[in-house]
Amino acid sequence: MREKLPFELEKSEPLSTFFLKELGAYEVLWSKKDMSFKKIVEMPHSPESILFDFVDETIAYEFAFAILLFYLASRICREKRYQSC
């Protein structure tokens, strides 16, 4: 039996769930005042940790859905081209 990789999903967790949590966690971290790449790198972590280990899961989902809604709205506006959105 092979060893599980640090970023490998659980069999019960679909890829979309992992993606949403990671996307939301990224946005949560960047929304904090004075956040920088250096501060993210210096966060205490283990080699197996990923971004959503550092934020509340509910807030990560809220940010992820807000980003997805923004993306979908911008696509709809682009497809309408010259109509007001």
Side-chain angles (χ1 to χ4, degrees), residues 20 23 27 61-79 85:
L20 286 174
L23 173 68
E27 294 300 327
Y61 277 124
E62 288 175 7
F63 271 74
F65 285 116
I67 295 298
L68 291 176
L69 288 174
F70 178 78
Y71 172 75
L72 291 173
S74 67
R75 289 226 17 170
I76 291 169
C77 287
R78 231 177 305 140
E79 289 171 5
C85 297

Side-chain angles (χ1 to χ4, degrees), residues 5 19-20 25 27 31 40 54-55 57 74:
L5 299 173
F19 170 75
L20 286 174
E27 294 300 327
S31 72
I40 290 176
F54 300 104
V55 300
E57 187 173 346
S74 67

Side-chain angles (χ1 to χ4, degrees), residues 7-26:
F7 298 103
E8 198 169 345
L9 300 175
E10 297 292 329
K11 290 187 186 274
S12 62
E13 183 177 25
L15 179 60
S16 59
T17 304
F18 176 83
F19 170 75
L20 286 174
K21 286 193 288 189
E22 192 70 2
L23 173 68
Y26 181 82

